Amino acid sequence: MAILFMSKTPGEAAAYTALFADLLPGQDIRVWPDEIGDPEDIEFAVIGEPEPGVLAGLPNLRAVLSLWAGVDGLLADDSFPRDVPLARMVDPLLTTDMTHFAIHWVLHFHRDIPRYIALQQERLWKPRNYYEASERRVGVMGLGNLGTHAAKAISGLGFDVAGWNSSPRDIPDVETFIGPDRIWPFLARTDILIVLLPLTRQTRGIVNAETLLALPDGAYLINLARGPHVVESDLMAALDSGRLAGAVLDVFNQEPLPVNHPFWTHPKVWVTPHIASKTTPRTAAAEAAIDIRRLLAGKMPRHLVDFDRGY
């Protein structure tokens, strides 16, 4: 029995194998692409960035553990073995980092920091009153682990927080809107929209001309999930028309963002290079090791992906 580790990120293989040596003593850890050995030996795979076709060539594969919270990249591989359980990463540190990033931008917009940055450039001293947190309506689109954690934390800061999700959620002090029909009242009461949805067939392009028009005038968008959630031309139109006051985009349809893309220079867009949160080897290896020990004991891993839903 062997465990295959696969990642395209430089240095990750060495970091994870060292951690697994302590966390999973005695286990045979193989590294893609040079140290796979006999593919028939591999029963479990721990995967960062996927390489299409590799998993389909492992005849005795029993489970795949993703190092990422989102599994859309893995599921985009048509050869991915659908009869093998797939578990997504739920890492407390990744979740906390994402929440911190969301809070930063909520406060940035809530306190009208873009205006004061512009005033500084003109050396103008023009203070003005601001809303109380309870008067600012924040909406979290997607109430999985990341969205729920962010919604709770932002609510704890005194904001009026609501969430929209495809399935029921009960979050103290957070109003929830469930199902496709309830997206419209959710958007209508949202001044700052945070997107933390998984990328699926249903959510691709969900931030479009129609949904942006449903937001109040002067709303803000914070997309921390996946670039294809947003129809870029519709977002640009909403910004240029003044309907939307600004957008923070950490993810894009094409990454890295092309140097000639208009988002780079748009005065109402803040671009960050997919850094809202990250998978940290120290904590992610510990989470993966828990599931490998479960598998060795004949149990299923946690956080299993529903292939039909895509998350």
Side-chain angles (χ1 to χ4, degrees):
M1 192 282 290
I3 301 164
L4 177 66
F5 179 84
M6 181 191 299
S7 173
K8 299 177 184 177
T9 303
E12 277 202 344
Y16 277 95
T17 51
L19 289 162
F20 285 146
D22 290 333
L23 294 164
L24 300 166
Q27 296 300 323
D28 182 3
I29 308 296
R30 312 275 181 89
V31 177
W32 175 89
D34 299 325
E35 302 172 17
I36 291 182
D38 186 347
E40 293 190 1
D41 295 340
I42 297 168
E43 296 188 15
F44 309 129
V46 181
I47 305 296
E49 297 162 275
E51 182 67 20
V54 172
L55 297 176
L58 306 176
N60 296 316
L61 190 63
R62 292 171 49 197
V64 177
L65 308 179
S66 174
L67 292 173
W68 291 6
V71 295
D72 47 284
L74 282 169
L75 298 184
D77 179 7
D78 291 337
S79 69
F80 186 93
R82 263 41 180 195
D83 58 336
V84 174
L86 168 62
R88 57 189 174 83
M89 174 58 64
V90 176
D91 177 359
L93 181 57
L94 183 153
T95 301
T96 298
D97 287 349
M98 183 69 80
T99 293
H100 288 169
F101 200 75
I103 288 171
H104 168 87
W105 287 105
V106 168
L107 294 174
H108 184 86
F109 292 136
H110 170 61
R111 294 300 299 268
D112 206 7
I113 299 303
R115 176 177 181 271
Y116 290 109
I117 292 173
L119 288 172
Q120 180 181 347
Q121 303 306 312
E122 301 181 50
R123 302 185 184 187
L124 294 175
W125 187 277
K126 289 187 176 180
R128 70 177 181 184
N129 289 330
Y130 52 85
Y131 290 105
E132 296 179 25
S134 61
E135 298 175 293
R136 184 74 71 181
R137 301 169 300 176
V138 178
V140 179
M141 184 179 277
L143 296 175
N145 180 68
L146 295 176
T148 295
H149 193 273
K152 287 179 178 178
I154 295 167
S155 174
L157 294 175
F159 289 93
D160 180 1
V161 179
W164 177 79
N165 205 56
S166 61
S167 55
R169 290 289 188 274
D170 185 11
I171 305 173
D173 301 317
V174 175
E175 183 180 7
T176 54
F177 296 77
I178 306 302
D181 294 341
R182 298 291 290 162
I183 193 172
W184 307 112
F186 163 75
L187 293 170
R189 54 80 57 213
T190 295
D191 302 314
I192 301 175
L193 176 64
I194 304 170
V195 181
L196 283 170
L197 289 163
L199 182 62
T200 67
R201 292 187 301 273
Q202 291 73 30
T203 64
R204 185 177 294 270
I206 195 169
V207 180
N208 54 44
E210 189 176 14
T211 50
L212 290 169
L213 186 61
L215 293 167
D217 284 344
Y220 293 92
L221 169 68
I222 302 171
N223 184 20
L224 309 181
R226 288 289 186 267
H229 284 123
V230 175
V231 179
E232 292 183 350
S233 58
D234 291 353
L235 174 58
M236 290 290 289
L239 291 165
D240 291 340
S241 70
R243 281 277 304 151
L244 210 63
V248 170
L249 305 174
D250 185 58
V251 287
F252 304 90
N253 282 284
Q254 182 179 346
E255 296 182 5
L257 187 66
V259 295
N260 61 346
H261 198 289
F263 283 155
W264 283 115
T265 56
H266 198 288
K268 294 182 180 178
V269 175
W270 287 261
V271 170
T272 55
H274 205 142
I275 48 82
S277 66
K278 65 177 181 177
T279 299
T280 300
R282 176 180 61 81
T283 52
E287 292 298 320
I290 291 172
D291 280 327
I292 290 171
R293 286 193 289 268
R294 288 175 61 89
L295 287 161
L296 291 171
K299 300 178 182 178
M300 294 296 285
R302 305 160 299 159
H303 318 302
L304 285 173
V305 171
D306 183 323
F307 288 103
D308 291 332
R309 290 185 174 184
Y311 59 91

